Every structure is written in C-alpha cells, then in structure tokens.
Amino acid sequence: HLGYRQARLAAKTALGPIGTGFRGHEFHFATITPPSTTPAAAPLFHCRSADGEDLGPSGECRGSVFGSFIHLIDCTDQP
C-alpha cells in the first residue's frame, strides 16, 4: 500500500474520539497474518485514498494499544 490517506478514527484513543479526522501517508510492503488463536482486534481507522476511494479499515486497536502503517501528518477536524 502506498499513498496519501484521509483517515477517521474508528475507535476512541489518545488521539481523539471516534470520528476524528487525519491526513497521512502510508507506505508499506508487508502482509500481516494474525495467529489463529488471537481474537480479532478492532479497526483503528477507516481510510480513503487522496482521491476519495474507500479503502476500508486500517490498523488495529486492542484496549489502550493501537497501531497502523499510516504516518499521520495532521489532524483535520474533530467530530
């Protein structure tokens, strides 16, 4: 995945409440294969490409731990 992203928080985190918007860029060449014994984590962001294409969920959030391949540039708004 490579490109600029429009991201909205799909979970409440230290970055803000659900719906907070960000701009960022994503560049990674990896595949994540979760272990079969680990329950699925909640998505961290819902993303769109710079031209508005829906890219779906991105990153993961489990309790107070969260992460993604998106490098945030700035916060665009609060919900």
Side-chain angles (χ1 to χ4, degrees):
H1 299 263
L2 177 65
Y4 288 100
R5 302 288 180 249
Q6 301 169 17
R8 293 214 169 265
L9 284 174
K12 180 182 174 184
T13 71
L15 296 173
I18 293 172
T20 301
F22 294 91
R23 287 186 297 183
H25 58 93
E26 179 179 22
F27 56 95
H28 76 273
F29 301 95
T31 301
I32 299 172
T33 306
S36 60
T37 58
T38 303
L44 177 60
F45 293 114
H46 186 85
C47 291
R48 294 188 174 278
S49 66
D51 62 4
E53 177 186 354
D54 186 358
L55 301 175
S58 180
E60 292 188 348
C61 183
R62 190 181 306 258
S64 62
V65 178
F66 56 92
S68 79
F69 284 110
I70 297 174
H71 300 257
L72 299 179
I73 296 170
D74 63 0
C75 180
T76 58
D77 60 27
Q78 296 288 326

